[in-house]
Amino acid sequence: MKQIKQKVVVFTGAGISAESGIRTFRDSDGLWEEYNIRDVATPEAWAKNRELVLEFYNKRRKQSLEAKPNPAHKALKDLEKKYDVIIITQNIDDLHERAGSKKVLHLHGEINKCRSTVDETLIYPMKKEGIKLGDKCERGSQLRPHIVWFGEMVPMMDLAYEVASTADIFIVVGTSLVVYPAAGIINYVSANIPKYLIDPNEINVSGIKNLTIIKEKAGIGLPKLVENLLK
Ligand code: APR
């Protein structure tokens, strides 16, 4: 008889891609030190200066194309040998997919896709050169990055809560846990299951039961944790 695999839900943030060379947002060299969120990552920014917004995301896309999955992404792929692994990521890069992970839910969108500004269900693969002003969807509206901006709804949130609530093991990697609603996901996880948090810096988590904090970089801490879980 086939044994049902335990479900491991992994919630990832920018820190898991840091060792691949993709900048995080809130570390000292983070993107939000160089840019103002309001100028590049909000509907207001899009209304005010589309060129600047497109330039920002075209840069992000170039950076993510140049990056390669690191040992942390690869460890999560290895975890599939024994577990049903579902990754809920805040990241817009595709490094989890490129490492081979099968189930990845992108809460904040995907940098390799663009979409219509009049119909959010019209989603397209991004062209090699990124989006330019004047690039249009089939209904004639300007294309925008397939990104959830600050102030916009997170369409996958309910699904993510549901997935988190059915986890047998929950792992958090490389997120400052300050951006809501995504950060609230940890509150949907059952109190009784084992939880792990991997981050080299201090993260503000209190009142979470059965939580083991691993104060290491993802590329070191995650492969070690996965090795233990595979034993
Ligand atoms: N390994 C693991 N964690 C790391 C590493 C590393 N090598 N380097 C940095 N970190 C940690 C930092 O300590 C921090 O806790 O990664 C976290 C990055 O936090 P943020 O920059 O705030 O990124 P994230 O939590 O993913 O941001 C959430 O905010 O700007 C928005 O939409 C954007 O999805 C993003 C959301």
Side-chain angles (χ1 to χ4, degrees):
M1 206 166 69
K2 209 178 162 201
Q3 218 184 340
I4 295 172
K5 287 179 175 175
Q6 278 200 308
K7 189 189 283 184
V8 181
V9 177
V10 191
F11 181 53
T12 67
I16 196 167
S17 296
E19 288 154 85
S20 296
I22 298 182
R23 287 164 73 187
T24 62
F25 296 96
R26 294 174 185 79
D27 286 301
S28 55
D29 60 344
L31 280 171
W32 299 147
E33 289 293 317
E34 187 180 338
Y35 296 90
N36 188 327
I37 290 178
R38 269 175 300 176
D39 293 340
V40 292
T42 59
E44 292 75 24
W46 181 244
K48 198 169 140 201
N49 192 344
R50 291 185 170 187
E51 219 153 6
L52 182 68
V53 174
L54 291 178
E55 184 193 297
F56 175 75
Y57 285 103
N58 286 340
K59 271 192 196 160
R60 306 282 70 77
R61 178 154 182 278
K62 190 163 173 284
Q63 197 180 41
S64 108
L65 281 175
E66 285 162 2
K68 291 191 179 70
N70 68 50
H73 299 102
K74 291 178 188 161
L76 291 180
K77 163 66 192 159
D78 290 343
L79 199 57
E80 290 180 7
K81 287 180 198 153
K82 187 169 163 191
Y83 298 93
D84 176 20
V85 180
I86 305 180
I87 299 171
I88 300 172
T89 187
Q90 297 166 93
N91 299 345
I92 56 176
D93 67 58
D94 62 350
L95 295 181
H96 286 305
E97 286 89 342
R98 281 200 265 147
S101 286
K102 287 198 198 78
K103 298 181 185 173
V104 187
L105 208 146
H106 286 270
L107 285 184
H108 293 162
E110 292 172 74
I111 196 66
N112 289 328
K113 294 181 181 169
C114 52
R115 72 168 188 256
S116 160
T117 35
V118 291
D119 180 349
E120 61 186 31
T121 64
L122 294 177
I123 300 165
Y124 309 90
M126 185 81 93
K127 282 194 294 186
K128 206 168 151 220
E129 58 277 19
I131 310 175
K132 291 199 200 69
L133 271 187
D135 288 347
K136 295 194 171 127
C137 78
E138 65 211 62
R139 289 183 51 192
S141 82
Q142 171 67 44
L143 289 174
R144 60 166 276 181
H146 184 46
I147 301 290
V148 177
W149 286 324
F150 285 90
E152 293 187 316
M153 291 271 294
V154 181
M156 304 272 210
M157 214 54 242
D158 286 342
L159 176 61
Y161 290 149
E162 197 184 310
V163 169
S165 70
T166 58
D168 297 303
I169 298 172
F170 191 73
I171 305 173
V172 180
V173 192
T175 171
S176 55
L177 288 178
V178 296
V179 174
Y180 284 79
I185 200 165
I186 196 157
N187 301 314
Y188 286 75
V189 179
S190 158
N192 307 320
I193 66 158
K195 301 169 197 74
Y196 303 89
L197 185 150
I198 302 175
D199 200 298
N201 296 307
E202 202 79 41
I203 301 297
N204 189 7
V205 266
S206 54
I208 305 288
K209 284 194 184 148
N210 293 313
L211 178 68
T212 305
I213 294 181
I214 301 168
K215 215 170 165 203
E216 277 182 314
K217 288 186 171 183
I220 304 287
L222 197 51
K224 277 197 253 175
L225 173 62
V226 165
E227 198 185 320
N228 281 331
L229 292 172
L230 287 175
K231 270 181 193 158

